[in-house]
Amino acid sequence: MYILPRNEALDVNPPAGNEELTTHGSDWLWAVFGLYMLFFFIFFATSFIAKSGEKIFHYLFTIALLVGSLTYFAVASDLGWEVITVADSKPVGGLWTRQVFWVEYVNWVVSFPVITISLGLLSGISWASIVFNVFLSWTWTVSLLVSALTGTRYKWGFFGIGILAWFILAFNTLFYGTAGAKRVGVARDYLILAGYVNFFWMIYPIAWGIADGGNKIGVTPGYIFYGILDILVVPVMAFAFYFLSSKWDYNKLNIAFTRYGRVPQSGEFPEKTTPAPAAAAPPVVGEPTTAAA
């Protein structure tokens, strides 16, 4: 007698390709899905006890955790994939294919911008800078997706462009973000969060390069790698923001959202507090001007 029902996902939705997902891989992915759902419900519940106007990080990470749950449900069910011709690490003289789950990249397209927006709001950088960083994260993840779906070595061109976008994103979050965080008095917490996520973001290209990119490891080992990274990035970052935010001044950070939008901005901003030079008084009509001596 089975204590737990047998995983029949691959019987209902058969995999394909020479490199394909295994039943053990599906078992692991169901476990990741379960963890994501658990984190989602816990984190969503905390939004009911958060102060009014201080729920922005709850909203952002609730979406990231929910979308992550959706994508891992799809991958564990063996859905949302394409069979792609392998360009590297294949048997000599034969056509070799790999099962690539495009739905995993949907997870990154949502979760990476959520983290980027959260870091931007915490650091106090401008909305223009936040939007710029969001588009950089999209460029990075979409480049990885297009590269994974390319069956020739031209895939590495897309990969290189994506890595360039990631370098710019890392520079912005670590340097410009830190400068902004110092201005609003949260430099220590910001450096912990930005340093942590950028460390693991640096590992994603390595994981991709040996899995969907270079085909050095199979589909199941690749998704064990992805699953560990995703758990360490999204749920851990969500709860790190939750615990650290208890001591933040949302008014000073200008993220205390009210029914009227964001509250007036506080903190030291030299470009806003430096008085403008006084304008010269206009001449009185009909009055002769004094000639210079």
Side-chain angles (χ1 to χ4, degrees):
M1 183 179 70
Y2 290 100
I3 298 176
L4 294 174
R6 187 174 68 88
N7 182 359
E8 299 179 348
L10 273 61
D11 296 330
V12 178
N13 306 304
N18 301 112
E19 300 280 354
E20 61 183 24
L21 184 67
T22 64
T23 300
H24 291 306
S26 179
D27 293 339
W28 158 253
L29 292 165
W30 280 119
V32 177
F33 163 72
L35 286 173
Y36 257 85
M37 287 300 300
L38 176 63
F39 291 137
F40 163 76
F41 283 117
I42 295 173
F43 201 78
F44 181 64
T46 63
S47 66
F48 292 100
I49 60 176
K51 296 179 182 179
S52 177
E54 298 184 2
K55 299 184 179 183
I56 182 61
F57 298 119
H58 292 81
Y59 296 153
L60 289 169
F61 282 103
T62 293
I63 291 297
L65 290 168
L66 187 59
V67 171
S69 301
L70 182 153
T71 56
Y72 272 100
F73 175 85
V75 181
S77 302
D78 200 36
L79 298 171
W81 50 266
E82 294 289 337
V83 175
I84 304 300
T85 302
V86 172
D88 301 283
S89 301
K90 60 182 180 179
V92 178
L95 178 66
W96 201 254
T97 58
R98 182 184 180 94
Q99 188 179 19
V100 174
F101 288 87
W102 55 262
V103 72
E104 170 67 9
Y105 297 82
V106 174
N107 179 27
W108 299 342
V109 165
V110 174
S111 62
F112 290 0
V114 162
I115 295 172
T116 300
I117 294 170
S118 299
L119 290 175
L121 291 173
L122 175 60
S123 67
I125 61 176
S126 68
W127 279 112
S129 297
I130 293 175
V131 171
F132 178 52
N133 288 342
V134 167
F135 274 91
L136 285 172
S137 68
W138 280 337
T139 303
W140 175 29
T141 52
V142 171
S143 295
L144 290 181
L145 171 61
V146 174
S147 183
L149 297 178
T150 301
T152 67
R153 290 183 176 173
Y154 282 87
K155 66 167 58 187
W156 298 107
F158 295 113
F159 175 77
I161 294 170
I163 294 303
L164 177 61
W166 169 71
F167 271 123
I168 300 172
L169 176 62
F171 179 84
N172 287 349
T173 53
L174 289 174
F175 290 93
Y176 293 133
T178 301
K182 289 180 180 177
R183 185 176 58 186
V184 292
V186 292
R188 175 184 170 276
D189 290 349
Y190 180 85
L191 277 172
I192 291 173
L193 295 168
Y196 177 87
V197 75
N198 273 288
F199 172 77
F200 285 105
W201 274 350
M202 179 178 62
I203 300 176
Y204 273 92
I206 299 173
W208 185 92
I210 63 175
D212 290 346
N215 196 48
K216 295 292 185 180
I217 60 176
V219 176
T220 291
Y223 275 89
I224 291 174
F225 204 163
Y226 290 155
I228 293 172
L229 286 176
D230 286 343
I231 290 172
L232 291 174
V233 169
V234 182
V236 171
M237 282 291 288
F239 284 95
F241 265 89
Y242 172 72
F243 288 113
L244 291 175
S245 65
S246 62
K247 58 184 179 181
W248 296 340
D249 184 344
Y250 277 63
N251 289 321
K252 187 175 181 180
L253 294 174
N254 193 30
I255 54 175
F257 289 81
T258 69
R259 60 187 294 185
Y260 304 107
R262 298 173 79 180
V263 299
Q265 192 161 278
S266 62
E268 296 181 4
F269 297 87
E271 68 274 17
K272 294 190 175 183
T273 57
T274 303
V284 180
V285 178
E287 242 185 53
T289 57
T290 304

